[in-house]
């Protein structure tokens, strides 16, 4: 680590002011701290968001569920259990307990790792990402690996999710990191089905439109055939062909879980 | 009736209290007054010529005391290799220099280029980043076959090639073996990779060097499995410090698995720099450094052929192996693919002819050396895989084929030099069949199929040579060290006992099980015996812990020393009771005179030894302290049979281990609970190798699996509840405890059963896959199911692809049945 200063604002307004300069936001630190330890970043000043009460918690209302940007994965998993079990399941399978009790939804979305879980939930549900400056539809937010619509210093303050009729998440883990190797989030709304895939594409999280079309007509696993197009990630843990294949497998499993109402399933077991 | 104390009791591990409550004292807990910190600048390229190293900016940085480079070590010895191999033509192996800091070239990612010593670790790290080495990159050799090509770049310019040695064993058997193949009714051929592994002990390596200018005494605190060996190697070969001026301390060590046997550059550096600077110097490895500087394990590419006659008797076995040495020869590297591997190729079977060829190769990768099992897992894996494949080709039951070829009479002289003293392979197989409920497998397979999963059963046997080793024999085989062990038993005046052993415990529970042995021999409560280890200043010269040798060799030394104690104590007791020595009996810590009611307590005798008022001073010396050195006259041969059941997800290729049963014969067992724990740990590592772990390089020599984000360690959830049984017992015939060693068995015996099980599962689903190379990741299993050529014969870099590489195979195309 290089030496850095840390600021601990307790209001969003203070955080915003502090981030106007050369500083960087610190969420749960589950991505940023390892990066600093490797000396791959030298931010000078970190602005810690975890003391800002207005950025925390899960609230359900008539138009959906809002999750504060500083809410941890574990808090989200708990708060979403009744409202959106599929999303609660997603949050409950991120990393391990230490990661879940520190890492935040805002940090995960801002980071937009091509293998992260929350982007699949946000895109799969058509969420709205609320920042200190504006509101961004998930369809516009994710712009490729580690790239989002956020401006420098812009803070994810909350994420609003519409409540689907049914949803589920199916995650095939990468055996070392336990991030998704490929995972699919499937959500059924009265006006159609959305399918978001993470871990697979070199362009980051994406919607699999063909599967959405087929599932909107008939919400059953058997209709998910074929494979998504586009460049797929190839690494130690799986070839592009394997990942492409898993897109359909994970989507079918998510559909099955949505129909069963189990919230999802993971190759890492119970 | 299970015993509750002494030999055979499952005494709880006394050391766990301090380990589990944070009271252990590890090397990193040692801070010596006035110490400075060193950080190494390591190469980030696999192969380069060093033009110059500009250290001026670093030297001017805050807190920097001195920057060292290879220049500073020009008059200093290199890191020695402890074992010399003689090749097929009677020539010694090629042995490159291994400087403490790189000289002239860097040869792998992680090779240390310079060392910065500063007041704080942070300052040293800052300054290390400011060093500007002028590196002229050279093409790297990563793949072993490519490394042996005519025009391959050379890792060491002063050697004739990248071939360390071409070893044949037993060379005299070669012609007869070839002939047997020509006459065979059936030959099964298999090519496979034994995947490269990183040991990853929980505690990374640490070294603290200290020098007392007033006395000229050096001290090195280090994370070692064998402090005396480090003292000898570093003192005699690297730094020229005589042993009486060098103390090496290996305190609590958080796991070794082999990788802490070897003498490393950082130890020599800290010892050297402490004197040069007049300041203690400390180094603590980061986890990232550990990945690229701890010796790696395995990394063999093998072609194995099994010849059978028309009745399915094994008639001959022939292997050709490429063994990766990495960029330098680590301390015991040359012995692993040769004597620790070739001598085990007979396995549990009566194969009359065996010929093993091993080509050891230098590549631009981290040095490779012993890792839990060392050579024996590689031997077991290939043998037990080829037998399984043969059974499949011949359409016979794989267990029956093994049984038919079992060695049944002991002692048994193998065609590969060693003589098994005892064993009962049919016995362990019977235990296995029962404990694993093999009869119920068909029903369990049906249940799995009903859930849409393919289920497979894999069974294999293993044998290992442990209790390393008869010094005279290993000397003939090229070892530059003896492999005896030592113990001093010090009885104190009030009867308590301190045992100082040359073995070293880094998780094995010696402090508990060794105490059980000594307490049992005298008949005392175990807590009257304390075990000291790890400090050359207060333990007799010993060779340390590896090769499942501690109880078999170290324990035997302890028994011999305790026997001397008992003999002397009886003399004292005889004097005290005015009886003749021959009539004295010792039981439950009390001396009696046969046929009388006279008795004297243990404590009275020990007190008399140190307060010799009434004592036979004319016959014996006062005091009660004895030392023994024990040199075994054979290896020990633990053996067993393992069974694994897996489910394979036909859609994803995901393998889950559903059941695992181990039936072992370790001879006598001192502490069944500790033995079971050792087997559990070994199984976890073996299953990790089979399904998860893979150290992979890319073509340029960059380490791809350089952190836990990419190197998959086994976790509890990856493993089933194990069934472990060591009730089959054929005691070792040549050591006093009749013990054989249990530390490596799990890691040796389990990989083939896992792979055999997966192949069996795939066949049950109609996938006629002959072999898949480890680790059997979902991606590889899925690719194999979908017609990819198995990843066979591939030398590094292997792991990146699922369909490889006839170009890199030992010879011939992949096997499909
Ligand atoms: C062992 C391990 C396993 C993991 N497994 C998974 C997994 O299975 N699935 C998964 O999805 N993730 C996984 N993660 C990542 C984890 O979920 C992280 O918590 C997450 O990616 C980042 O969130 P954070 O709050 O920790 O952000 P930080 O690490 O603090 O920050 C990450 C980035 O986001 C920025 N940032 C943080 N908060 C905000 C905000 N509110 N607004 C704007 N920018 C912000 C920071 O400036 C930084 O650039 C794992 C991590 C670890 C260490």
């Amino acid at each position: 680590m290089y030496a850095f200063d840390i600021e601990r604002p307790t209001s969003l307004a203070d955080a915003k002011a502090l981030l106007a300069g050369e500083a960087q936001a610190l969420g749960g630190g589950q991505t940023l701290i390892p990066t600093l330890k490797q000396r791959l970043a030298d931010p000078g000043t970190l602005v810690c968001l975890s003391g800002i009460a207005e950025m925390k918690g899960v609230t359900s209302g008539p138009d959906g569920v809002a999750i504060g940007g500083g809410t941890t994965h574990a808090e989200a998993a708990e708060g979403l259990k009744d409202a959106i079990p599929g999303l609660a399941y997603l949050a409950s399978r991120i990393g391990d307990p230490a990661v879940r009790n520190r890492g935040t939804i805002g940090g995960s979305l801002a980071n937009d790792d091509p293998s992260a879980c929350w982007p699949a939930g946000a895109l799969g549900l058509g969420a709205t990402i609320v920042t200190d400056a504006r509101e961004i539809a998930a369809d516009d937010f994710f712009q490729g690996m580690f790239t989002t619509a956020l401006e420098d210093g812009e803070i994810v303050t909350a994420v609003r999710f519409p409540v689907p009729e049914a949803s589920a998440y199916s995650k095939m883990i990468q055996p070392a990191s336990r991030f998704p190797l490929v995972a699919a989030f499937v959500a059924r709304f009265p006006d159609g089905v959305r399918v978001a895939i993470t871990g697979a594409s070199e362009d980051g999280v994406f919607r699999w439109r063909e599967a959405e079309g087929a599932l909107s007509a008939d919400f059953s696993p058997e209709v998910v055939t074929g494979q998504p197009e586009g460049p797929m990630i190839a690494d130690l843990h799986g070839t592009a062909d394997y990942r492409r294949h898993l897109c359909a497998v994970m989507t079918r499993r998510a559909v099955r879980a949505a129909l069963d109402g189990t919230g999802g399933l993971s190759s890492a077991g119970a | 009736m299970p015993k509750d104390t002494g030999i055979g009791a499952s005494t709880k591990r006394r050391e766990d209290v301090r380990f589990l409550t944070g009271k252990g004292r590890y090397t990193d807990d040692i801070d010596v007054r006035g110490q400075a910190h060193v950080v190494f600048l390591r190469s980030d390229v696999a192969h380069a010529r060093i033009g110059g190293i500009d250290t001026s900016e670093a030297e001017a940085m805050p807190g920097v005391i001195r920057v060292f480079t290879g220049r500073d070590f020009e008059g200093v010895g290199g890191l020695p290799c402890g074992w010399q191999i003689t090749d097929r033509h009677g020539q010694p192996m090629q042995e490159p220099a291994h400087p403490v800091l790189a000289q002239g070239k860097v040869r792998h990612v992680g090779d240390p280029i310079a060392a910065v010593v500063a007041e704080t670790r942070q300052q040293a790290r800052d300054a290390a980043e400011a060093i500007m080495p002028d590196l002229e990159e050279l093409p790297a050799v990563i793949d072993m076959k490519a490394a042996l090509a005519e025009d391959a770049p050379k890792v060491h310019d002063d050697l004739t090639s990248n071939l360390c040695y071409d070893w044949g064993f037993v060379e005299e058997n070669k012609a007869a073996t070839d002939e047997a193949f020509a006459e065979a009714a059936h030959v099964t051929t298999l090519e496979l990779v034994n995947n490269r592994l990183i040991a990853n002990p929980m505690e990374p390596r640490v070294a603290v060097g200290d020098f007392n200018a007033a006395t000229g005494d050096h001290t090195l605190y280090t994370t070692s499995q064998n402090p005396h060996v480090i003292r000898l190697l570093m003192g005699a070969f690297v730094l020229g410090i005589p042993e009486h001026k060098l103390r090496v301390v290996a305190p609590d060590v958080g796991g070794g698995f082999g990788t802490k046997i070897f003498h490393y550059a950082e130890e020599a550096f800290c010892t050297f720099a402490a004197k040069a600077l007049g300041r203690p110097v400390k180094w603590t490895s980061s986890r990232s450094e550990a990945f690229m500087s701890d010796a790696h394990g395995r990394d063999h590419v093998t072609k194995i052929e099994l010849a059978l006659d028309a009745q399915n008797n094994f008639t001959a076995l022939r292997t050709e192996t490429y063994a990766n040495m990495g960029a330098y020869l680590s301390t015991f590297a040359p012995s692993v693919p040769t004597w620790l591997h070739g001598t085990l190729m007979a396995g549990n079977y009566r194969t009359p002819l065996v010929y093993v060829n091993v080509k050891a190769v230098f590549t631009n990768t981290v040095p490779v050396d012993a890792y839990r099992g060392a050579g024996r897992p590689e031997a077991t894996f290939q043998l037990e895989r080829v037998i399984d494949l043969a059974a499949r080709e011949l359409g016979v039951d794989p267990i029956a084929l093994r049984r038919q070829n079992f060695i049944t009479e002991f002692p048994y002289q193998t065609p590969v030099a060693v003589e098994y003293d005892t064993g009962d392979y049919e016995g362990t197989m019977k235990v296995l069949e029962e404990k694993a409920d093999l009869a119920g497998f068909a029903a369990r397979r049906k249940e799995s199929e009903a859930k849409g999963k393919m289920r497979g059963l894999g069974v294999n046997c293993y044998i290992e040579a442990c209790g390393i080793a008869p010094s005279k024999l290993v000397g003939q085989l090229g070892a530059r060290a003896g492999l005896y062990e030592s113990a001093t038993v010090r009885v104190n005046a009030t009867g308590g006992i301190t045992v100082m052993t040359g073995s070293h415990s880094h998780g094995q529970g010696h402090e508990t099980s060794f105490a059980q042995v000594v307490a049992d021999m005298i008949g005392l409560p175990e807590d009257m015996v304390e075990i000291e280890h790890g400090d050359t200043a207060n333990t007799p010269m010993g060779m340390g812990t590896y090769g499942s040798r501690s109880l078999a060799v170290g324990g035997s030394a302890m028994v011999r020393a305790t026997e001397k104690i008992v003999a002397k104590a009886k003399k004292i007791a005889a004097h005290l009771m005015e009886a003749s020595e021959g009539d004295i009996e010792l039981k439950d810590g009390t001396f009696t005179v046969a046929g009388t009611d006279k008795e004297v307590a243990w404590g009275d005798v020990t007190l008399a030894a140190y307060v010799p008022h009434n004592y036979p001073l004319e016959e014996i010396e006062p005091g009660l302290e004895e030392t023994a050195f024990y040199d075994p006259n054979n290896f020990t041969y633990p053996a067993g049979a393992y069974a694994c059941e897996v489910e394979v997800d036909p859609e994803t290729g995901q393998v889950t281990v559903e059941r695992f049963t181990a039936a072992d014969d370790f001879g006598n067992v001192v502490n069944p609970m500790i033995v079971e724990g050792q087997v559990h740990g070994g199984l976890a590592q073996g299953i990790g190798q089979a399904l998860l772990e893979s150290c992979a390089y890319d073509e340029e020599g960059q380490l791809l699996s350089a952190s836990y984000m990419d190197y998959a360690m086994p976790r509890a959830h990856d493993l089933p509840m194990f069934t472990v049984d060591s009730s089959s017992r054929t005691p070792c015939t040549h050591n006093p405890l009749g013990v054989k060693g249990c530390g490596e068995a799990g890691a040796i015996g389990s990989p083939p059963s896992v792979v055999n099980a997966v192949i069996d599962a795939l066949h049950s689903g109609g996938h006629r896959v002959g072999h898949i190379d480890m680790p059997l990741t979902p991606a590889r299993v899925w690719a194999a199911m979908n017609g990819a050529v198995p990843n066979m014969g591939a030398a590094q870099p292997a792991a990146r692809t699922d369909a490889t590489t006839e170009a890199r195979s030992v010879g011939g195309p992949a096997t499909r049945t």
Side-chain angles (χ1 to χ4, degrees):
Chain A
M1 247 180 230
Y2 297 107
F4 57 85
D5 292 323
I6 187 147
E7 301 286 352
R8 299 173 180 282
T10 51
S11 75
L12 188 55
D14 287 352
K16 200 173 157 169
L18 287 162
L19 282 168
E22 280 297 277
Q24 186 175 359
L26 175 67
Q30 296 303 292
T31 297
L32 189 50
I33 298 292
T35 312
L36 297 182
K37 280 186 170 175
Q38 296 281 327
R39 293 192 159 196
L40 297 173
D42 187 5
T45 302
L46 291 183
V47 179
C48 177
L49 303 178
S50 61
I52 304 173
E54 59 199 288
M55 278 178 62
K56 288 189 167 188
V58 181
T59 42
S60 289
D63 12 301
V65 181
I67 305 179
T71 309
T72 64
H73 310 322
E75 289 161 350
E78 189 57 34
L80 284 163
K81 258 203 289 206
D82 298 329
I84 315 180
L87 198 57
Y89 182 84
L90 173 148
S92 74
R93 306 308 307 207
I94 294 174
D96 49 45
V99 171
R100 291 195 287 275
N101 283 305
R102 278 260 156 209
T104 63
I105 181 172
S108 177
L109 293 177
N111 194 51
D112 193 18
D113 187 301
S115 301
C117 297
W118 278 118
L123 191 62
L125 284 162
T128 303
I129 288 89
V130 183
T131 77
D132 56 327
R134 55 189 167 137
E135 299 194 350
I136 311 167
D139 283 318
D140 303 323
F141 184 83
F142 302 106
Q143 301 185 347
M145 276 197 187
F146 299 107
T147 316
T148 67
L150 293 174
E151 302 288 338
D152 273 356
E154 194 171 354
I155 303 171
V156 175
T157 57
V159 190
R160 280 206 314 268
F161 294 92
V163 176
E165 292 171 346
S167 69
Y169 186 59
S170 175
K171 176 178 179 182
M172 178 82 189
I173 59 158
Q174 192 262 57
S177 72
R178 306 206 139 196
F179 274 70
L181 186 68
V182 170
F185 193 92
V186 170
R188 190 178 73 190
F189 292 96
D191 57 347
V193 172
R194 290 173 71 106
V195 177
I197 307 276
T198 188
S201 169
E202 288 193 343
D203 297 328
V205 67
F206 69 97
R207 281 176 70 185
W208 185 11
R209 307 269 179 182
E210 292 76 15
E212 289 183 353
L215 287 165
S216 295
D218 175 6
F219 194 68
S220 56
E222 299 76 49
V223 306
V224 182
T225 55
Q227 296 179 334
E229 315 249 294
M232 294 283 158
I233 298 170
D235 62 13
L236 268 181
H237 310 284
T239 56
D241 281 349
Y242 183 56
R243 281 189 164 84
R244 206 184 296 283
H245 163 76
L246 285 180
C247 292
V249 177
M250 291 301 115
T251 304
R252 279 197 293 272
R253 290 184 182 186
V255 172
R256 203 168 298 130
L259 289 168
D260 295 348
T262 53
L265 71 167
S266 161
S267 63
Chain B
M1 251 292 278
K3 294 176 68 179
D4 57 10
T5 184
I7 294 173
S10 285
T11 304
K12 289 218 172 78
R13 292 171 28 125
R14 55 170 73 168
E15 46 271 84
D16 285 349
V17 177
R18 72 175 190 277
F19 294 156
L20 297 177
T21 57
K23 302 290 184 211
R25 185 165 177 264
Y26 295 88
T27 309
D28 198 43
D29 295 324
I30 294 170
D31 289 314
V32 185
R33 208 177 141 83
Q35 84 193 0
H37 298 262
V38 60
V39 165
F40 292 91
L41 173 69
R42 296 180 183 277
S43 178
D44 58 3
V45 297
H47 196 191
R49 205 168 299 289
I50 306 173
I53 306 174
D54 184 354
T55 58
S56 52
E57 194 187 329
E59 273 155 26
M61 287 179 60
V64 172
I65 298 166
R66 188 167 152 191
V67 180
F68 292 81
T69 67
R71 283 251 160 88
D72 297 293
F73 286 83
E74 267 162 16
V76 175
L79 304 174
C81 179
W83 204 301
Q84 181 184 292
I85 296 301
T86 303
D87 78 3
R88 293 178 57 193
H89 313 291
Q91 297 302 308
M93 67 185 186
Q94 297 210 74
E95 197 170 346
H98 187 178
V100 173
L101 295 177
Q103 290 176 355
K105 289 215 294 191
V106 287
R107 296 186 174 85
H108 65 86
V109 168
D111 208 0
I113 299 173
V116 181
V117 181
E119 296 296 339
T120 69
R121 202 170 162 209
Q122 193 73 10
Q123 288 170 330
R125 195 170 170 192
D126 287 341
E129 279 179 12
I131 296 173
M132 297 296 162
D134 170 15
L135 297 181
E136 178 206 334
E137 255 195 83
L138 300 169
V141 282
I142 306 302
D143 177 82
M144 287 190 273
K145 277 196 85 185
L148 293 184
E150 232 10 273
D151 52 352
K154 283 197 283 182
V155 179
H156 295 277
D157 301 342
D158 54 337
L159 303 186
T160 59
S161 70
N162 293 319
L163 182 67
C164 177
Y165 55 74
D166 181 2
W167 184 75
F169 181 68
V170 175
E171 200 58 33
E172 294 73 44
N173 288 351
K174 185 172 189 309
T177 306
D178 291 346
E179 211 167 291
F181 270 91
E183 289 165 6
H186 184 85
V187 174
T188 295
T189 304
L190 179 61
E191 289 197 19
L192 43 78
V193 173
N194 204 289
N195 42 327
R196 188 178 182 113
L197 302 176
I198 303 177
N200 282 305
M202 207 182 285
E203 177 206 30
R205 289 188 296 119
V206 182
V208 187
D210 190 15
F211 178 69
N212 185 331
T215 60
D217 289 338
H218 296 260
T219 305
L220 170 68
Y221 303 90
T222 183
T223 46
S224 176
Q225 301 176 214
N226 33 232
H228 289 93
V229 175
I230 303 305
R231 184 179 65 163
L232 181 64
L233 291 176
M234 184 177 78
F237 297 98
V238 189
L239 300 177
I241 307 168
E243 282 128 301
H244 65 288
K245 289 299 194 188
L246 175 58
R247 173 181 172 198
V248 177
V249 186
D252 284 334
V253 172
F257 311 114
T259 203
K260 290 176 183 164
I261 297 172
F262 323 120
H263 176 39
Y264 285 97
E266 296 86 356
E267 295 169 321
F269 179 86
C270 290
T271 310
F272 176 87
K275 183 176 181 186
L277 300 173
R279 296 269 302 265
V281 175
K282 179 171 189 170
W283 172 71
T284 300
S285 173
S286 68
R287 186 58 73 180
S288 308
E289 270 183 298
F291 273 91
M292 55 173 142
S293 69
D294 291 3
H296 293 172
R298 316 278 194 260
D299 204 355
H300 285 193
V301 178
T302 294
K303 175 178 176 179
I304 180 166
E305 298 164 285
L306 177 65
L308 301 94
D309 68 14
Q311 286 75 46
N312 298 339
N313 297 310
F314 304 162
T315 56
L317 189 78
R318 189 162 61 188
T319 74
E320 182 185 5
T321 288
Y322 290 77
N324 206 335
M325 296 286 103
Y328 302 98
L329 288 179
S330 174
T331 311
F332 290 115
S335 67
V336 174
T338 50
W339 299 111
L340 293 177
H341 162 249
T343 51
L344 274 301
M345 280 316 307
N348 311 52
Y349 311 103
R350 273 186 326 253
T351 316
L353 287 162
V354 177
Y355 179 72
V356 177
N357 173 241
V358 179
K359 298 174 185 75
V361 185
F362 294 111
T363 59
N364 292 110
T365 62
V366 171
V368 180
D369 206 327
Y371 167 70
R372 201 170 192 168
R376 292 152 290 167
E378 295 89 325
T380 304
F381 183 68
Q382 34 175 312
L383 181 60
E384 295 295 328
R385 282 292 300 128
V386 83
I387 293 172
D388 236 53
L389 184 60
R392 206 167 281 289
E393 288 177 355
L394 294 164
V396 299
D397 175 58
I399 297 179
L401 181 62
R402 287 178 168 88
R403 274 209 158 103
Q404 170 185 350
N405 286 282
F406 273 158
I407 295 162
T408 51
E409 279 167 29
F410 297 89
Y412 178 80
Q413 176 63 51
T414 71
V416 277
V418 291
E419 184 184 276
Y420 302 160
D421 60 336
T422 177
D424 178 6
Y425 308 144
E426 181 56 37
T428 48
M429 185 58 87
K430 280 212 183 93
V431 171
L432 183 79
E433 286 175 319
E434 186 203 320
K435 295 279 170 187
D437 182 28
L438 296 189
F441 172 71
R444 292 191 293 274
R445 173 175 268 173
K446 279 221 173 69
E447 280 169 34
S448 297
E449 284 169 352
K451 290 187 298 177
K453 298 282 170 65
M454 299 178 282
R455 194 178 187 106
L457 169 67
V459 170
N460 67 278
C461 299
Y462 77 90
I463 183 155
E464 45 172 335
C466 295
I468 291 173
S471 294
K472 192 167 162 191
L473 174 64
V474 296
Q476 287 161 5
L477 305 183
R480 290 163 171 164
L483 284 167
Y484 52 82
E485 197 46 88
S486 64
T488 295
V489 176
R490 176 178 296 161
V491 183
N492 301 305
T494 55
I497 298 174
T498 309
V499 178
M500 285 145 284
T501 164
S503 297
H504 185 278
S505 186
H506 31 278
Q508 294 89 344
H510 293 177
E511 291 167 35
T512 302
S513 50
F514 283 15
Q516 286 176 256
V517 172
V518 174
D520 194 289
M521 286 178 71
I522 301 173
L524 296 172
E526 288 163 18
D527 62 8
M528 283 184 71
V529 183
E530 201 68 27
I531 306 295
E532 293 275 343
H533 61 92
D535 186 345
T536 61
N538 62 16
T539 54
M541 172 76 177
M543 298 308 292
T545 289
Y546 39 83
S548 304
R549 69 191 300 274
S550 294
L551 192 59
V553 190
S556 296
M558 214 168 53
V559 169
R560 291 284 182 256
T562 307
E563 283 167 357
K564 292 188 200 179
I565 292 285
V566 169
K568 185 170 176 184
K570 280 186 175 171
K571 281 200 172 80
I572 302 168
H575 178 89
L576 294 177
M577 293 188 279
E578 294 169 343
S580 98
E581 194 191 323
D583 293 338
I584 304 294
E585 286 167 3
L586 170 61
K587 193 164 176 278
D588 298 335
T590 302
F591 296 91
T592 52
V593 181
T596 74
D597 58 1
K598 283 191 192 172
E599 63 173 51
V600 49
W602 170 252
D604 294 330
V605 170
T606 61
L607 193 64
Y610 289 95
V611 187
H613 297 164
N614 174 17
Y615 194 84
L617 281 167
E618 49 297 331
E619 284 167 51
I620 51 175
E621 297 165 3
L624 201 48
E625 173 165 331
E626 299 288 348
T627 294
F629 283 72
Y630 182 84
D631 204 296
N633 59 34
N634 193 353
F635 294 91
T636 63
Y637 300 95
Y642 286 7
C644 176
E645 282 181 38
V646 299
E647 276 187 356
V648 180
D649 181 334
E651 279 191 308
T652 63
Q654 171 97 22
V655 176
T656 48
V657 180
E658 296 294 321
R659 293 164 68 96
F660 201 102
T661 310
D664 296 291
D665 175 0
F666 297 132
N668 293 335
V669 169
V670 168
N671 183 319
M673 180 198 67
I674 288 182
V675 166
E676 197 175 333
Q678 287 289 308
V679 176
H680 280 213
L683 294 177
Q685 280 178 300
I687 292 170
Q689 169 167 31
L691 296 179
L692 295 160
E693 298 186 46
S694 174
C695 170
Y697 282 92
D698 72 8
E699 293 77 357
E700 277 79 49
Q702 289 297 328
L703 186 56
L704 297 175
S705 52
S707 79
Y708 293 130
M709 292 302 278
D710 286 303
Y711 190 90
M713 296 293 285
R715 300 171 207 217
H717 116 92
D718 296 312
L719 309 167
M721 294 304 287
F722 298 131
T723 304
V724 172
D725 182 289
S726 59
S727 63
S728 270
R729 290 180 187 172
T730 58
C732 168
T733 59
H734 57 79
N735 66 42
L737 288 165
V739 297
K740 297 182 177 179
C742 68
E744 296 157 298
I748 292 171
S750 57
S753 46
V754 177
V755 179
N756 289 349
V758 173
I759 298 296
D760 185 51
L762 295 188
H763 276 260
S764 79
H767 303 282
R768 299 171 64 77
V769 174
H771 179 72
I772 308 171
D773 273 322
M774 301 186 290
L776 273 61
T777 60
R780 285 188 179 190
V781 174
W782 176 80
M785 282 191 291
N786 287 281
V789 177
N791 190 20
M792 296 185 62
Q796 294 288 350
R800 237 192 345 184
T801 48
D802 52 36
T804 51
T805 50
E806 260 115 282
R808 291 203 299 257
S809 68
V810 176
T815 314
R816 289 180 73 80
T817 56

